[in-house]
């Protein structure tokens, strides 16, 4: 085992602070990775503060982080896909049972025995897994992704969660080229949704409550912006969308967006409001519309997404911070005061 | 114009009673039909009692009925598809604008200018259209369907609404053969859903609150029955359904059925509960599930459904009544005291 510096929270009420954790020695299937950057995802904050205690209580100390980009420093004897020096990524998953129907269908995120990157039972060391707010991580090679060399590693880190979360439903929708696609919310997830929908050739419209976000929405790739609080603007686009990606986790009126859909239109939720969403059955019947959910993506699809990003030069828009600013970053994330994702430069942890 | 006997309601509080209405003379595109049977649909009752006043207020007198089977007595000079003596059907639609995107896509039910069979502006005579609780009807030939000669006309009548409403979402779901399909509710719609899902080769499971319906569910084609109030039975089937057809219009917990779906499973609503349904976003995200709506079907699809019924010998299970019992039938329908659809023998009206 190897001692590794990390930032952890010791309770739901504690800030994140310097800690030392153990990483296992690489087994023959493992890849040991020196972490370069780790994005900050809203799930990190939910877990640190035990806000999902009802279905996934947090074990402390908690080291969050599942948007990891790093460099391979060592590989086990059986590893065939990676070698020291490779730039790689690790997302929300670090293991699964490799044999259940979900694993066989390449949707390891639904494996009942999936091991999440943090706060998940650790098969090797006991306790729970520790995430990417740390110097290094050791991961089964089948959960390690190749990061295209032309991508900036700081901006590539959020692809591992925000990227795949938005890529997957857009990709699975079907032939989206030339279709009218809406993205609700322009944040960490939303801005990635805009980039992917645009890269796939859709006509992209951002729904936002903030008129001030218009220029920025256009800059990241939107063709149009609708201020969702403006009833007239909304009505002018009613019934015209083929697909809407809803990235908002706060309570909001989903029927207003169902109303925007045309025949056979679909709205897919990737944010998860805590309370059930009241959905009008009439709104679904008239126009044969549907509401779906989507959750990250499988490993093969995540690699496909990274390769697509390499081919199209897509990364997240990030504000790079030293890890010492992580608690402040959480507060700014809650205030939507970031364009659009924080990415922690892990050299700052090494230097401590 | 031609005087025609009918049963109408003169107000939301009035029972249906004998009346005389006008039918137009057949134009060159029209088919004049002597009505043999008319099914009783829940929509008839909602409209007669003005229960949809908020979006489709009822104009009185109101002659309901949109599950019509009859015999052609006369055709206009330009009619090519029908001749006197043919057994034909008329469903929920009698006209549309023939040119909008919905009409061009063969989903005339979503045409903004669709003329519904009753309580819809009548382009020919002014006032509103009158439905099938009458001796005869005159309809544009493009909204007249051919009824296969091997089908009992009394049992064929409900195919025109209950049939197409359930056939359409099952047919559009994809290759359903060998899939596990649930049908929620065993009533006028539900029993047709069971017959269609079975005929398409699915493994069919009925969800019902009434253990007493088990034998009957098996008789109409179910392979299994789940009593939805039995938590143990429900849990045993959790996550195993590919598709669920939800025919229930009363308030009910849709999340319990989302929980029954497996990966990428879909539940389609064909009943329309008045209040919005609380849908758990988490339930949709984990398993990439979806909730859809479906509304009757287009004319071409309705003909396809009738032809399918002819090929598979499918009709509704009906209790044939004289029209003089229609008010009593409404009360029995509200009490779910019918297996599974009333079909009015229109000879009883002629005899008045």
């Amino acid at each position: 085992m190897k001692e590794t510096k990390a930032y952890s929270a010791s309770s739901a009420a504690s800030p994140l602070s310097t800690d030392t954790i153990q990483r296992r020695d690489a087994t023959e299937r493992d890849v040991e990775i020196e972490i370069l950057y780790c994005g900050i995802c809203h799930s990190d904050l939910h877990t640190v503060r035990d806000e999902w205690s009802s279905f996934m209580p947090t074990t402390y100390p908690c080291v969050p982080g599942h948007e990891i980009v790093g460099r391979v420093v060592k590989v086990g004897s059986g590893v065939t896909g990676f070698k020291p020096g490779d730039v790689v990524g690790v997302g929300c998953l670090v293991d699964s049972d490799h044999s259940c129907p979900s694993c066989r269908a390449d949707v390891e995120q639904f494996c009942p025995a999936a091991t999440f990157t943090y706060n998940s039972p650790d098969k090797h060391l006991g306790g729970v897994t520790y995430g990417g707010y740390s110097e290094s991580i050791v991961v089964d090679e089948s959960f390690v992704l190749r990061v295209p060399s032309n991508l900036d590693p700081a901006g590539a880190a959020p692809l591992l969660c925000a990227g795949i979360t938005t890529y997957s439903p857009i990709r699975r929708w079907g032939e989206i080229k030339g279709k009218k696609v809406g993205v609700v919310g322009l944040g960490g997830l939303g801005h990635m949704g805009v980039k992917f929908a645009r890269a796939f050739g859709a006509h992209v419209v951002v729904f936002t409550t903030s008129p001030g976000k218009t220029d920025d929405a256009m800059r990241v790739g939107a063709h149009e912006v609708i201020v969702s609080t403006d009833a007239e603007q909304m009505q002018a686009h009613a019934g015209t969308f083929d697909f809407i990606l809803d990235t908002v986790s706060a309570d909001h009126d989903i029927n207003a967006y169902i109303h925007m859909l045309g025949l056979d239109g679909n709205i897919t939720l990737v944010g998860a409001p805590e309370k059930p969403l009241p959905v009008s059955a009439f709104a679904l019947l008239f126009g044969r519309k549907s509401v779906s959910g989507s959750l990250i993506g499988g490993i093969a699809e995540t690699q496909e997404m990274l390769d697509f990003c390499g081919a199209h030069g897509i990364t997240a828009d990030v504000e790079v911070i030293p890890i010492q600013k992580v608690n402040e970053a959480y507060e700014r994330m809650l205030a939507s005061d970031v364009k659009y994702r924080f990415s922690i430069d892990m050299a700052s942890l090494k230097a401590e």
Side-chain angles (χ1 to χ4, degrees), chain A:
Chain A
M1 288 202 299
K2 186 176 164 182
E3 292 217 322
T4 306
K5 281 196 231 171
Y7 255 53
S8 75
S10 58
S11 77
S14 309
L16 291 153
S17 59
T18 312
D19 195 359
T20 302
I21 57 170
Q22 304 292 329
R23 294 295 189 190
R24 69 177 180 267
D25 294 322
T27 71
E28 61 172 5
R29 301 164 53 94
D30 281 337
V31 177
E32 183 181 327
I33 302 160
E34 174 198 10
I35 300 176
L36 300 173
Y37 292 93
C38 184
I40 297 181
C41 174
H42 226 106
S43 305
D44 301 352
L45 184 150
H46 286 303
T47 306
V48 160
R49 300 191 178 174
D50 205 12
E51 289 171 355
W52 286 339
S53 59
S54 58
F55 66 97
M56 209 187 278
T58 303
T59 299
Y60 295 93
C62 171
V63 179
H66 58 204
E67 295 185 335
I68 298 167
V69 167
R71 186 173 285 117
V72 175
V73 290
K74 194 197 273 186
V75 299
S77 58
V79 169
T80 56
F82 301 95
K83 60 179 191 312
D86 288 353
V87 177
V88 296
V90 175
C92 301
L93 299 163
V94 289
D95 210 351
S96 70
D97 69 11
H98 302 262
S99 62
C100 71
S102 292
C103 287
R104 290 200 306 269
D106 287 330
V107 285
E108 298 86 356
Q109 72 269 37
F110 301 123
C111 170
T115 303
F116 293 96
T117 305
Y118 56 82
N119 196 41
S120 202
D122 185 327
K123 290 185 221 169
H124 299 267
L125 300 183
V128 294
T129 50
Y130 295 130
Y133 294 11
S134 58
E135 284 181 300
S136 70
I137 191 166
V138 179
V139 179
D140 182 303
E141 80 160 321
S142 43
F143 288 82
V144 178
L145 289 308
R146 293 178 301 280
V147 175
S149 59
N150 61 317
L151 299 180
D152 164 50
L159 298 176
L160 279 301
C161 173
I164 185 61
T165 296
T166 50
Y167 176 90
S168 177
I170 293 170
R171 178 76 175 78
R172 282 184 294 107
W173 186 85
E175 183 49 54
I176 214 157
K177 193 173 171 173
K179 302 294 180 185
K180 188 168 175 182
V181 170
V183 176
V184 185
L186 189 68
L189 294 172
H191 93 290
M192 290 308 309
V194 171
K195 291 184 183 201
F196 287 128
R198 179 76 186 234
F200 279 117
H203 179 84
V204 185
V205 183
V206 165
F207 292 95
T208 176
T209 52
S210 324
K213 285 194 176 171
T214 302
D215 289 350
D216 238 48
M218 308 297 264
R219 191 180 52 74
V220 299
H223 295 91
E224 291 181 73
V225 174
I226 297 176
V227 177
S228 56
T229 49
D230 182 331
E232 211 169 295
Q233 273 188 51
M234 289 288 275
Q235 193 50 43
H237 288 263
T240 65
F241 283 84
D242 296 293
F243 175 68
I244 296 176
L245 183 74
D246 186 343
T247 71
V248 175
S249 293
D251 283 337
H252 61 291
D253 178 14
I254 194 176
N255 296 311
Y257 296 104
I258 294 174
H259 187 59
M260 294 290 114
L261 295 170
L263 178 67
D264 292 323
N266 170 267
I267 179 166
T268 294
L269 310 174
V270 290
E274 228 182 301
K275 286 186 225 157
L277 297 154
V279 172
S280 157
F282 276 98
L284 295 180
L285 266 66
F286 285 85
R288 301 195 306 210
K289 300 170 185 179
S290 61
V291 180
S292 308
S294 185
L295 184 81
I296 49 173
I299 294 300
E301 194 181 32
T302 305
Q303 188 60 61
E304 178 193 306
M305 177 273 306
L306 286 167
D307 295 344
F308 182 87
C309 288
H312 292 80
I314 293 174
T315 53
D317 289 15
V318 292
E319 179 178 339
V320 177
I321 58 163
I323 198 160
Q324 293 75 14
K325 291 210 168 169
V326 67
N327 295 300
E328 184 188 319
Y330 275 22
E331 295 309 315
R332 288 183 51 203
M333 180 168 64
L334 284 174
S336 299
D337 176 24
V338 54
K339 285 175 181 174
Y340 286 94
R341 207 72 158 174
F342 289 108
S343 188
I344 306 169
D345 181 351
M346 219 51 73
S348 60
L349 179 58
K350 271 200 181 337
E352 272 203 346

